[in-house]
Amino acid sequence: MLPNTGKLAGCTVFITGASRGIGKAIALKAAKDGANIVIAAKTAQAHPKLAGTIYSAAEEIKAAGGKALPCVVDVRDEQQISSAVEKAVEKFGGIDILVNNASAISLTNTLETPTKKVDLMMNVNTRGTYLTSKACIPYLKKSKIAHILNLSPPLNLNPLWFKQHCAYTIAKYGMSLCVLGMAEEFKGEIAVNALWPKTAIHTAAMDMLGGSGIESQCRKVDIIADAAYCIFKKPKSFTGNFIIDENILKEEGIKNFDVYAITPGHPLLPDFFLDEQPVIVTKKPETHELKEEEAQPSPKPRSGAVEGTFRIVKDSLSEDVVKATQAIYQFELSGEDGGTWFLDLKSKGGNVGYGEPSDRADVVMSMSTDDFVKMFSGKLKPTIAFMSGRLKIKGNMALAIKLEKLMNQMNARL
């Protein structure tokens, strides 16, 4: 972990989406220095599934050594942004750092993304970041520290990152384009940078999206907080950078990253928009070997592997699994021994079988029979398969992620 230096004592940090998760972690790190934190977030009353409000975050910030100003802010509302900025300047005398953390996500393809979701992502991610920056810039110009930090990815134009969730990528890249433009526009006055995690980060929202058990494949929010702290210590001349959390911490001399893992030693999910792991997966020699095998008579029919996998899945079903999942999955398997299979985790006791399910599937997954068997045996992570285009998903993405927990339980038996 990165130690605090006291550099941010007395500084005012305006953070959107700071009532929980990454935003709150950055706030608490700065609070340990004695910073003033403006908590600009929507949650004034407790959410039924997500812990934390602007007021509970304020109490934690004070306990950590900082001062707090909780403000109800929906970044889609320009008036709420302006009001919070005015209150911050009135209470603390100015704004030294802005963190654009508030974000909306829907990992759905073009035809399955409702206009309401498109508008939400564009208005929170791109427009909200732009308007909050615009409101803070006059005060940031007066600061000796003067940083804007957007929680957004490097601008990777590989079509892979657009094909499965085009609207989300456009909205998220809009935040990154703000970095590109504003860094140049305010060069010498304000440092404008982006920060993005190398791996999945464990938050309450991630639990809600991926279900219990997902945390073992994530790092703690502390790694983002430490990386942000590194950036805030840098001069205004450090601008226009798209920073990966692990890289900047390595530069600071951090060598042991197990301290940031929820489960040290456990494989981690790579985050979106970074090519490293998907490229490695798709370029593995075994891909070519499989093609050669398909061209030759196989001593063992592939149906054995597929049927065997479903048999083990069926043997592992229980009322607890069904109750925890509540979804019907349909698998469209291509190649030799391809076809339609289903996994019903809604009906009593659960069921698997060949053909379409009796009720409509919540999630349809399309992939090769080889990749299907590899996924359930732990040799291919669903996230990697999805991001590299080997797995196509239609339907409820949150339920698709839930299935990964069941796959992990199968690994030891396949």
Side-chain angles (χ1 to χ4, degrees), residues 305-378:
V306 175
E307 287 180 347
T309 299
F310 275 107
R311 195 180 309 117
I312 292 172
V313 171
K314 187 172 183 178
D315 290 343
S316 302
L317 297 183
S318 67
E319 286 297 344
D320 287 341
V321 170
V322 172
K323 187 178 179 181
T325 312
Q326 284 297 292
I328 297 175
Y329 301 92
Q330 184 172 319
F331 302 91
E332 297 295 340
L333 305 181
S334 61
E336 190 176 346
D337 189 41
T340 302
W341 293 76
F342 70 87
L343 171 58
D344 181 352
L345 296 178
K346 265 188 183 174
S347 303
K348 186 176 181 180
N351 195 19
V352 304
Y354 183 78
E356 294 187 4
S358 54
D359 292 326
R360 184 179 176 183
D362 298 291
V363 182
V364 179
M365 296 183 169
S366 303
M367 71 202 89
S368 71
T369 52
D370 281 299
D371 284 342
F372 170 81
V373 174
K374 284 181 181 179
M375 275 183 13
F376 270 91
S377 61

Side-chain angles (χ1 to χ4, degrees), residues 168-236:
Y168 172 64
T169 300
I170 291 169
K172 207 66 191 171
Y173 279 19
M175 296 175 72
S176 300
L177 288 169
C178 286
V179 171
L180 200 65
M182 292 179 189
E184 195 66 25
E185 184 176 359
F186 302 105
K187 188 176 284 186
E189 296 180 287
I190 304 168
V192 187
N193 296 288
L195 174 62
W196 193 246
K198 184 174 182 178
T199 72
I201 301 296
H202 182 236
T203 62
M206 176 62 82
D207 274 341
M208 202 165 132
L209 189 66
S212 60
I214 195 77
E215 68 272 8
S216 63
Q217 301 170 65
C218 301
R219 280 176 171 163
K220 301 171 187 173
V221 289
D222 298 341
I223 191 168
I224 293 287
D226 282 1
Y229 189 79
C230 289
I231 295 165
F232 300 153
K233 293 193 298 177
K234 292 188 178 291
K236 294 178 186 179

